[in-house]
Amino acid sequence: GYLNEYMGDFLFDKNQPFFFSQAGFDYTVPVCENYEGYCKFLEQLPQDSTPEVFGLHTNAQIISNTSKAKELWVDVVKMQSSSIVEVKGMNKDEKVEQVAKDILSKLKPLFEIEKIRDKLGVVISPTQAVLMQELERFNILTEHIKLSLSDLIKALKGDIAMSSDLDELSAFLYNGFLPRLWRELCPQTEKSLARWIQHYTMREDQYAGWAEKGEPAAMWLSGLHVPESFLSAHVQIACRSKGWALDKSTKITEITQLVKPSDVSEMPDTGCYITGLYMEGAKWDINQQCLVLQDPKELLFEMPLIKVIPIEANKVKLRNKLVTPVYVTQGRRNPRGDGLVFESQLTTREHPSHWILQGVCLVLNID
């Protein structure tokens, strides 16, 4: 992005000077006759640079400050003394027990996978196979939550010994963080405990509806443990019906003007609709059907329904398109490099490097 925007023959055009940025200062290639002239130019540069200097939107400063404040707050909460025993008239153990019982009350019975599998018939489609895999993972998570919370309540009452894992679970519940052992069994997330429980409940509702009524008109992709497997299943279905080679097929996206899943009148012959995605670094103009600049202080933009279309790889056209990464969370990639789900093609009237510098991406889960 930076090479395309800032490097080229235009740097040496004597008739029209090139400015890297004019945000508060004319950033250009200095034309000096000696060493002292270059030093004088460098001394004139501002001490602090605004986001626009690097091709970013002014909102980038808000995002940076918010992220730093959040990290500071989390660290402060983690360091709070365990000697704080009173919270609205309850000591710490009573508070933790209340939270544990509240979560347990929201958990529903495990999905009866064998019955659901029998209902689907002998031969199941690729998307139905994805459903079965998702239910198995969800049952493992639910069972672990129930077991760990039940053991914690027993330990708080003194019925069993308080292990190191249960003590850690107690601390996480008390501070409102998602427990580490649960995090290992669920999709990547940066949500607080309360918001994660809401997300968990919504996932459960989507699975139940999918198992009972069939595939949703628009899949809430954020609710899947492995969302890329669902998209790959639709490519596989298209390959079977059209006789394409699976290894020479891919998928593209089309941003629709549909806002809610209820707006879908009929399912596409191949592919699917997905919902629940958010854009960072830009916004989508639903009327012009293209990328436009963010509004000030609008850090996220909720996307309309997106149509995923299976296609043969040699027929993909990317003219006036920005190949946009779709990540699981706003953290984008974790230290291991995980987090990328797929790539979406978004129409642009600007050169793609303009939006790359803006840090444009789509995310499934917001904080």
Side-chain angles (χ1 to χ4, degrees):
Y2 282 106
L3 290 177
N4 290 330
E5 286 288 319
Y6 297 143
M7 299 297 173
D9 293 338
F10 49 79
L11 287 175
F12 309 102
D13 189 340
K14 296 181 179 179
N15 298 320
Q16 184 175 356
F18 173 76
F19 296 97
F20 295 99
S21 173
Q22 289 184 290
F25 184 83
D26 290 341
Y27 293 86
T28 186
V29 177
V31 180
C32 305
E33 298 180 353
N34 50 44
Y35 173 78
E36 287 74 16
Y38 285 105
C39 290
K40 186 176 180 179
F41 177 83
L42 293 175
E43 290 173 356
Q44 294 174 352
L45 293 175
Q47 292 293 325
D48 298 316
S49 300
T50 60
E52 297 97 320
V53 174
F54 302 98
L56 298 170
H57 194 278
T58 53
N59 287 344
Q61 189 69 54
I62 301 176
I63 295 173
S64 176
N65 293 340
T66 301
S67 178
K68 291 176 182 177
K70 180 181 176 181
E71 290 177 4
L72 176 62
W73 175 252
V74 169
D75 290 340
V76 169
V77 171
K78 287 180 179 179
M79 290 188 299
Q80 70 178 343
S81 173
S82 58
S83 62
I84 302 176
V85 296
E86 292 293 332
V87 181
K88 295 184 179 179
M90 293 186 292
N91 61 37
K92 179 181 176 181
D93 288 350
E94 290 173 340
K95 175 64 177 177
V96 170
E97 184 177 351
Q98 182 190 59
V99 173
K101 288 182 177 179
D102 182 57
I103 295 174
L104 282 173
S105 68
K106 296 177 180 178
L107 302 181
K108 296 179 182 178
L110 300 180
F111 286 103
E112 297 180 339
I113 295 180
E114 290 299 327
K115 288 186 178 180
I116 296 173
R117 178 65 179 82
D118 292 341
K119 179 182 176 182
L120 296 177
V122 178
V123 180
I124 62 175
S125 69
T127 53
Q128 290 172 335
V130 171
L131 170 62
M132 302 310 298
Q133 295 166 1
E134 289 285 326
L135 293 181
E136 288 176 3
R137 293 188 179 98
F138 194 78
N139 274 357
I140 292 173
L141 172 62
T142 302
E143 193 168 21
H144 180 78
I145 294 174
K146 289 181 177 180
L147 181 61
S148 61
L149 289 179
S150 298
D151 286 346
L152 177 59
I153 293 173
K154 292 176 183 177
L156 292 173
K157 293 179 177 179
D159 295 338
I160 62 174
M162 178 71 77
S163 66
S164 59
D165 285 343
L166 292 179
D167 188 52
E168 181 188 73
L169 174 60
S170 174
F172 275 93
L173 295 184
Y174 181 71
N175 292 324
F177 299 145
L178 179 62
R180 176 183 57 85
L181 296 176
W182 300 3
R183 187 183 295 274
E184 294 174 355
L185 297 174
C186 72
Q188 185 181 341
T189 182
E190 295 181 345
K191 295 181 182 293
S192 65
L193 178 61
R195 292 188 178 276
W196 184 84
I197 291 297
Q198 293 177 353
H199 184 265
Y200 169 92
T201 304
M202 292 170 63
R203 289 182 63 202
E204 187 173 48
D205 291 341
Q206 175 167 262
Y207 287 140
W210 189 359
E212 181 66 27
K213 303 176 183 177
E215 184 178 324
M219 181 63 72
W220 178 50
L221 210 60
S222 315
L224 301 182
H225 193 105
V226 188
E228 53 267 39
S229 66
F230 175 76
L231 302 179
S232 298
H234 272 284
V235 174
Q236 188 176 352
I237 291 173
C239 289
R240 289 180 180 179
S241 64
K242 297 181 180 294
W244 299 340
L246 183 60
D247 61 341
K248 295 182 180 180
S249 301
T250 184
K251 55 188 174 294
I252 59 173
T253 58
E254 176 185 301
I255 314 301
T256 72
Q257 292 185 314
L258 307 175
V259 179
K260 305 184 298 295
S262 58
D263 295 337
V264 178
S265 56
E266 61 179 352
M267 300 280 283
D269 294 334
T270 58
C272 60
Y273 292 103
I274 57 175
T275 183
L277 279 74
Y278 294 83
M279 180 181 289
E280 279 191 328
K283 65 180 287 187
W284 182 260
D285 190 313
I286 198 169
N287 296 317
Q288 299 183 55
Q289 287 288 287
C290 68
L291 288 166
V292 295
L293 286 174
Q294 287 178 307
D295 294 328
K297 300 182 181 180
E298 184 181 347
L299 308 183
L300 289 166
F301 178 81
E302 186 172 2
M303 295 292 290
L305 268 61
I306 298 176
K307 186 178 181 180
V308 179
I309 306 170
I311 189 173
E312 291 180 288
N314 61 1
K315 295 183 179 179
V316 175
K317 297 180 181 179
L318 296 176
R319 186 177 181 180
N320 298 325
K321 298 288 185 180
L322 173 68
V323 179
T324 309
V326 181
Y327 298 106
V328 179
T329 70
Q330 289 177 264
R332 305 197 178 190
R333 292 181 185 269
N334 63 19
R336 298 192 303 272
D338 302 328
L340 179 67
V341 181
F342 69 104
E343 292 178 332
S344 177
Q345 297 75 33
L346 304 179
T347 302
T348 172
R349 296 180 180 177
E350 304 282 349
H351 192 278
S353 61
H354 170 79
W355 300 113
I356 293 174
L357 295 188
Q358 295 275 317
V360 175
C361 75
L362 296 175
V363 295
L364 301 184
N365 288 301
I366 58 176
D367 294 351

